[in-house]
Amino acid sequence: MTDNQWKIFCDFKNDLKKMVTKWQEQFPNLKDLQKQAAIIAKTPDYPFETPIVYNLALEEISKNDEIKLIVIGDNPGKDEQLAKNNKYLVGQAGKIAEGFFKRNESLGIDFRKNVIILNKTPIHSAKTSQLKTIARLGGEKISEFIKESQIWMAKRTAQLHIEMNNQILQENQTELWLVGYSELKEKGLFLNYRDELKKYYSADDKSKSNWQKVFVFQHFSMNRFTIDLKNYIEKKFDNCKIDREILHELGQIHRTEIFGD
């Protein structure tokens, strides 16, 4: 990273850390709501350790690292919230993502070194759908908090992406992948995230140009990303090697489905 990029990243990282700490102090009853939601969903018992998760993997990124990709998942799951982890995409979905990039070395991306991993909200739930139950159980206060967390993450993530890219030539700019888009659709859990993200990229010409570096895909969980990509390749090309151009085509198709452009 350049000196300016490094400062932009560190400012983002510190802002996120402060917000997570603030939210943890504001909502001490969140863990109880998460436990109730898991019981209602008949989720097998597991230790509830971190209700709102800051991604400690951000602390492992150094100024010498080249950030090629920002990946946005849904929210921290059971593995991510464990105190021994407190990192995003370290469960089965994360292993699938890591394996995808290892198998496709031509993309030149090390998932644990060249990627900033974030979420649409740092609020934990065993399954993303349980956020709806948590909001219902917690009433207006918790429902508004879940909304606030999405809006903050969308705005601050877009700002990070745009500001970092504005420091370097276009051919070297970082892409942003939204993985998991079913809850970005109308009446979805992450509608607030979707709308705030699009609004921020529409602010000015520099922001609009960075929108072309945003791509939307199926989630890595349950191998949906890989299956969707395989089906697209077979449908269009019969058989073809995975490359950046194909990924961009599919990511643009899904971006249009979700954002209408």
Side-chain angles (χ1 to χ4, degrees):
M1 283 182 269
T2 66
D3 289 342
N4 286 340
Q5 283 182 315
W6 177 244
K7 183 182 184 305
I8 290 164
F9 169 73
C10 288
D11 287 346
F12 168 83
K13 177 180 67 173
N14 292 333
D15 286 350
L16 177 57
K17 193 185 304 182
K18 288 176 184 176
M19 282 305 299
V20 168
T21 300
K22 176 184 174 183
W23 286 330
Q24 288 171 337
E25 293 170 352
Q26 285 182 330
F27 302 98
N29 67 326
L30 186 59
K31 185 184 291 186
D32 292 335
L33 298 173
Q34 290 165 329
K35 288 180 179 179
Q36 291 179 52
I39 291 170
I40 291 170
K42 298 182 179 179
T43 303
D45 191 36
Y46 69 95
F48 290 83
E49 297 180 349
T50 318
I52 307 170
V53 184
Y54 168 74
N55 185 10
L56 285 175
L58 298 177
E59 303 295 332
E60 298 170 4
I61 295 174
S62 75
K63 184 178 182 297
N64 294 326
D65 290 328
E66 181 183 2
I67 301 303
K68 301 179 180 181
L69 188 60
I70 300 173
V71 168
I72 313 298
D74 286 336
N75 69 312
K78 291 188 287 185
D79 292 309
E80 286 76 12
Q81 62 86 43
L82 293 175
K84 67 178 182 179
N85 292 328
N86 272 202
K87 294 179 180 179
Y88 298 168
L89 277 177
V90 294
Q92 189 59 36
K95 292 174 183 176
I96 290 172
E98 190 171 359
F100 170 79
F101 287 105
K102 282 183 178 179
R103 290 192 304 275
N104 295 279
E105 293 181 355
S106 62
L107 298 175
I109 295 175
D110 183 328
F111 191 66
R112 299 301 177 188
K113 190 172 180 63
N114 304 127
V115 181
I116 293 174
I117 304 172
L118 301 171
N119 276 322
K120 300 176 184 80
T121 175
I123 300 170
H124 160 68
S125 60
K127 298 290 184 183
T128 298
S129 60
Q130 290 177 22
L131 287 174
K132 292 180 182 177
T133 308
I134 293 168
R136 176 173 56 80
L137 294 171
E140 184 178 354
K141 186 177 180 180
I142 294 297
S143 182
E144 282 300 310
F145 167 47
I146 294 173
K147 175 181 176 180
E148 174 194 342
S149 71
Q150 292 180 44
I151 291 172
W152 192 93
M153 289 301 299
K155 181 177 179 178
R156 202 61 186 83
T157 298
Q159 185 179 5
L160 169 71
H161 183 220
I162 292 165
E163 289 184 355
M164 286 188 70
N165 274 352
N166 288 345
Q167 304 299 316
I168 56 175
L169 297 173
Q170 187 171 3
E171 56 265 28
N172 298 323
Q173 288 181 347
T174 300
E175 296 177 8
L176 187 146
W177 288 13
L178 284 167
V179 295
Y181 63 79
S182 62
E183 293 294 347
L184 291 170
K185 297 177 180 179
E186 291 300 324
K187 298 183 180 180
L189 267 167
F190 298 125
L191 198 61
N192 294 297
Y193 186 98
R194 183 199 73 179
D195 291 347
E196 184 66 22
L197 192 77
K198 183 60 186 295
K199 183 171 71 175
Y200 202 89
Y201 280 97
S202 303
D204 52 47
D205 288 341
K206 284 188 175 180
S207 300
K208 289 175 182 176
S209 66
N210 278 283
W211 183 244
Q212 301 310 311
K213 296 286 184 180
V214 175
F215 302 97
V216 180
F217 297 99
Q218 288 273 22
H219 204 284
F220 291 113
S221 64
M222 306 296 290
N223 227 17
R224 284 174 289 187
F225 172 91
T226 309
I227 293 170
D228 186 44
L229 179 60
K230 180 176 179 289
N231 289 341
Y232 176 71
I233 291 173
E234 290 179 349
K235 180 180 178 181
K236 186 169 183 179
F237 304 102
D238 292 330
N239 195 359
C240 182
K241 185 179 179 181
I242 294 171
D243 60 24
R244 198 172 296 274
E245 183 178 349
I246 289 170
L247 285 165
H248 288 175
E249 285 184 16
L250 182 59
Q252 288 169 354
I253 288 170
H254 290 320
R255 188 180 68 203
T256 301
E257 291 172 4
I258 300 303
F259 293 95
D261 66 347

